[in-house]
Amino acid sequence: MQSIESLVCVAPGELRIERRPSPRPSPGEVLVRPRRIGICGTDYHIFEGKHPFLQYPRIMGHELAVEVVEPGASNLRAGDICVVNPYLSCGTCIACRKGKPNCCTSISVLGVHQDGGMQELIAVPEANLISAPGLSVDACATVEFLAIGTHAVRRGGVSEDDAALVIGAGPIGLGAALFAKLAGAAKVALIDRDADRVKSTAAIIGVDAIPFGEGLEQAVADYTDGNGFDIVFDATGNQASMQRGFDFVAHGGRYVLVSVVKDQITFSDPDFHRKELTLYGSRNATSEDFSRVISAIKDGKVPLDKIITHRTSLAKAVTDLPVWARQKSGLIKALIEIGG
């Protein structure tokens, strides 16, 4: 049987290249070759042992641009480049029946609940392949992570009347801030502990940066005329940050938790009721969000040349990924390249 190379996270802190049997598509699946794999915060968390929903060993990778190898009974053709929706849902549970497959009761996410795309071949359901004619393989690999931010913005109902704050200037926060701006928010601001990262990210997408430090509360008050933000997004994956974010929401405002942590999140109930806040969880993304991102990229509204900052190969990722997990200076989005 033919074998393929796979990048396996054997245990927290341990990566290695293994040869595994080539996948055989089941009915309804298509055999594809990953061409670009975005390295996500989720992948770094898996490597570090911080992901709450994972068993080892695991082949990571869910931000995928793939080339069709064997289309099977699908309408796709060999050589087609597609985006992958990595959220495999059952289609029958209460969430799926209500049009929310992103929070399916038995969801399986490629690279998290089952092996993902950091390998030379993978079989995926045809229904989870999104044809994106006109998009480069690089662009296709960015669609999924941007869709996370897009979904959060849609979940929070951002409008032209809103002053929006995104806490966390990593790729997910970048996506949330960018699509809050594209949704027409009156003001969009970013906060991050890393002063250089927040300044550079804000400049790339054309939003404001609020300095982090002892005067943060006053800086937020000054920026919002003492009102706080109509909508706040937390994209940090940090318990303390997620709890502190409640303080920045205006009376009558909304708070969207985009990131996930193992810990419990607590807040002051009197303050929550005094402000009559609305709290949202935002999980994954839906086909509507993927379509929104693809359209924005085609319209030239996403500065991909500035977002993709690092590149590596499948073999070199064994050493590069651990470095990037620790050293984020200058890093926005790293891609693993397979096959040029």
Side-chain angles (χ1 to χ4, degrees):
M1 178 184 292
Q2 179 186 359
S3 64
I4 60 170
E5 284 194 344
S6 305
L7 175 60
V8 183
C9 188
V10 180
E14 183 179 355
L15 298 174
R16 68 179 178 224
I17 296 292
E18 295 183 356
R19 295 206 71 88
R20 293 194 171 189
S22 180
R24 293 183 174 179
S26 300
E29 290 186 332
V30 175
L31 185 67
V32 299
R33 176 179 293 110
R35 292 281 306 280
R36 299 288 187 275
I37 306 109
I39 302 176
C40 176
T42 296
D43 302 317
Y44 295 124
H45 288 160
I46 291 170
F47 171 73
E48 295 167 330
K50 297 178 181 179
H51 199 284
F53 307 122
L54 190 109
Q55 294 181 338
Y56 298 88
R58 178 63 68 225
I59 297 174
M60 301 178 292
H62 61 275
E63 299 179 2
L64 305 176
V66 300
E67 178 183 348
V68 175
V69 176
E70 295 178 6
S74 75
N75 294 321
L76 297 167
R77 297 175 298 177
D80 284 352
I81 302 297
C82 295
V83 175
V84 176
N85 180 339
Y87 309 113
L88 281 55
S89 56
C90 72
T92 59
C93 73
I94 184 170
C96 289
R97 294 197 306 271
K98 291 185 176 182
K100 294 178 66 67
N102 58 303
C103 54
C104 168
T105 60
S106 56
I107 197 167
S108 183
V109 181
L110 294 176
V112 180
H113 305 103
Q114 62 178 278
D115 285 340
M118 292 187 186
Q119 53 185 321
E120 292 180 309
L121 292 171
I122 185 174
V124 299
E126 179 189 357
N128 288 76
L129 289 175
I130 304 168
S131 180
L135 262 63
S136 67
V137 285
D138 282 357
C140 286
T142 68
V143 171
E144 190 278 337
F145 91 81
L146 290 170
I148 300 296
T150 307
H151 182 74
V153 167
R154 186 164 63 88
R155 185 101 169 95
V158 173
S159 73
E160 296 176 357
D161 297 326
D162 289 327
L165 172 66
V166 178
I167 307 171
I172 301 302
L174 180 153
L178 173 60
F179 281 89
K181 178 183 176 183
L182 294 179
K187 288 183 175 181
V188 182
L190 273 171
I191 292 175
D192 194 282
R193 285 181 177 273
D194 188 323
D196 291 334
R197 168 182 276 198
V198 71
K199 288 179 182 177
S200 62
T201 301
I204 286 170
I205 57 177
V207 300
D208 299 317
I210 295 179
F212 185 91
E214 292 184 2
L216 179 57
E217 281 76 10
Q218 186 59 51
V220 168
D222 291 344
Y223 186 85
T224 61
D225 297 324
N227 295 316
F229 286 90
D230 302 292
I231 185 163
V232 175
F233 301 88
D234 186 280
T236 65
N238 178 277
Q239 180 194 28
S241 174
M242 294 165 80
Q243 293 178 164
R244 189 179 185 185
F246 285 90
D247 296 337
F248 305 134
V249 187
H251 282 248
R254 296 101 69 204
Y255 189 22
V256 184
L257 298 181
V258 191
S259 49
V260 59
V261 293
K262 292 181 178 180
D263 311 291
Q264 292 189 1
I265 302 300
T266 63
F267 55 87
S268 166
D269 187 63
D271 188 59
F272 184 81
H273 279 81
R274 178 174 61 88
K275 292 183 175 180
E276 197 180 55
L277 300 187
T278 302
L279 178 63
Y280 292 95
S282 181
R283 188 181 186 193
N284 303 328
T286 67
S287 58
E288 181 178 346
D289 305 308
F290 280 77
S291 296
R292 174 76 180 93
V293 173
I294 289 171
S295 294
I297 292 174
K298 287 183 177 179
D299 291 342
K301 296 178 179 178
V302 181
L304 293 178
D305 58 327
K306 297 178 181 179
I307 290 173
I308 300 170
T309 56
H310 292 58
R311 296 176 186 269
T312 189
S313 65
L314 200 62
K316 291 181 180 178
V318 172
T319 53
D320 286 339
L321 193 152
V323 171
W324 296 335
R326 301 188 308 271
Q327 300 176 11
K328 296 294 196 298
S329 178
L331 173 65
I332 297 180
K333 176 55 60 179
L335 297 183
I336 295 174
E337 298 182 339
I338 301 178

